[in-house]
């Protein structure tokens, strides 16, 4: 049975583009059907495509990732996943942007020590970057609030004729759709206003 090569790509949101990672996999001749992509945060490993990929990884298969932060951004979890894949599943991992992180090479004690050391440093950096991102977001939000910028949905004022239309609706003189049209409200907004 041939050993397989899989690519794993991750971007933090649907707006981000994973093309740079995909192109790197294609340069390594990884078949498109063997590339798994998640569009969500790297804070944990509860990711659909990652878990599918991990379940099909077999001994001596190769998992390729572009950079360590694409695998995840939580130091301890990255270390645990790496160990699970390399020691329990006995598959190899190659990090394109850090050729020292290639478990196919230098499987002796010194090679393993160097790989583990580099992995620990990069995993730490990935988690620190996540912490910095969250801190910068918080600072940006605070700064915007101090400038009077409002967050969330704008509060919709109750239309002037609201009570009259709702009474007609409650008395079954008009249907709910007609009431919403008269008040120019969407269903959720209409029912929330009625409830409140």
């Amino acid at each position: 049975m041939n050993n397989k090569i899989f690519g794993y790509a991750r971007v933090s949101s649907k707006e981000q583009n994973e093309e740079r990672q995909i192109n790197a996999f294609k340069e390594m001749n990884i078949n498109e059907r063997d590339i798994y992509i998640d569009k969500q945060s790297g804070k944990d490993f509860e990711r659909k495509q990652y878990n599918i990929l991990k379940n099909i990884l077999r001994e001596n298969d190769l998992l390729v990732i572009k950079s360590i932060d694409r695998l995840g951004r939580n130091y301890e979890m990255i270390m645990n996943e790496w160990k699970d894949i390399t020691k329990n599943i006995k598959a190899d991992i190659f990090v394109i942007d850090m050729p020292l992180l290639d478990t196919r090479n230098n499987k002796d004690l010194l090679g393993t020590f160097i790989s583990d050391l580099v992995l620990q440093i990069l995993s730490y950096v990935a988690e620190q970057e996540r912490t910095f991102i969250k801190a910068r977001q918080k600072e940006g939000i605070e700064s915007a609030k101090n400038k009077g910028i409002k967050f969330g949905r704008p509060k919709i004022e109750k239309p002037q004729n609201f009570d009259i239309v709702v009474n007609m609706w409650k008395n079954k003189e008009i249907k709910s759709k007609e009431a919403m049209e008269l008040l120019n409200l969407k269903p959720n907004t209409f029912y929330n206003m009625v409830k409140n």
Side-chain angles (χ1 to χ4, degrees):
M1 186 174 170
N2 291 339
N3 300 329
K4 294 197 73 170
I5 302 177
F6 298 97
Y8 176 70
R10 183 189 65 76
V11 290
S12 296
S13 68
K14 291 182 179 5
E15 292 77 37
Q16 292 180 328
N17 191 326
E18 68 279 2
E19 197 170 321
R20 188 177 59 88
Q21 297 172 69
I22 305 303
N23 289 339
F25 298 148
K26 287 179 179 174
E27 285 175 21
M28 291 187 63
N29 295 319
I30 298 175
N31 193 312
E32 236 175 290
R33 73 168 190 267
D34 295 325
I35 297 172
Y36 292 77
I37 304 163
D38 278 310
K39 293 191 175 197
Q40 67 186 90
S41 167
K43 67 179 178 175
D44 59 39
F45 285 89
E46 294 305 312
R47 296 179 234 139
K48 185 177 180 184
Q49 292 301 308
Y50 176 78
N51 286 310
I52 291 170
L53 168 59
K54 193 172 171 192
N55 282 325
I56 60 174
L57 265 179
R58 299 290 175 255
E59 187 172 347
N60 296 320
D61 284 347
L62 176 64
L63 170 59
V64 179
I65 52 176
K66 179 84 169 91
S67 58
I68 198 68
D69 64 338
R70 298 303 86 203
L71 184 60
R73 286 197 179 273
N74 178 301
Y75 173 81
E76 194 173 320
M77 288 181 178
I78 292 171
M79 300 302 293
N80 289 338
E81 285 299 307
W82 189 278
K83 185 178 179 183
D84 192 34
I85 291 168
T86 59
K87 305 282 190 257
N88 297 334
I89 298 173
K90 294 185 171 83
D92 283 305
I93 303 174
F94 172 54
V95 180
I96 296 170
D97 289 350
M98 184 53 62
L100 277 173
L101 291 177
D102 185 348
T103 62
R104 297 171 297 177
N105 302 329
N106 305 320
K107 291 196 182 231
D108 61 359
L109 187 59
L110 181 61
T112 302
F113 171 74
I114 291 169
S115 283
D116 287 351
L117 194 60
V118 171
L119 174 64
Q120 287 183 25
I121 292 167
L122 292 177
S123 300
Y124 172 79
V125 169
E127 181 164 332
Q128 283 302 108
E129 179 59 22
R130 181 169 178 263
T131 303
F132 294 148
I133 288 169
K134 288 174 90 175
R136 287 192 297 266
Q137 284 174 336
K138 188 175 180 183
E139 289 168 7
I141 290 168
E142 286 302 315
S143 175
K145 283 182 178 177
N146 290 338
K147 291 178 183 173
I149 296 171
K150 304 274 187 217
F151 288 87
R153 294 182 184 182
K155 185 167 172 48
I156 298 173
E157 294 297 320
K158 207 182 264 191
Q160 283 184 323
N161 58 342
F162 183 79
D163 292 330
I164 296 165
V165 173
V166 168
N167 281 334
M168 291 170 63
W169 171 69
K170 283 182 177 177
N171 293 329
K172 299 189 180 182
E173 296 170 36
I174 59 173
K175 296 199 182 284
S176 54
K177 186 176 179 183
E178 192 178 348
M180 288 177 226
E181 286 172 2
L182 287 169
L183 296 169
N184 196 24
L185 295 175
K186 293 186 177 175
N188 282 352
T189 309
F190 173 76
Y191 290 114
N192 283 336
M193 282 186 177
V194 168
K195 191 167 84 175
N196 294 331

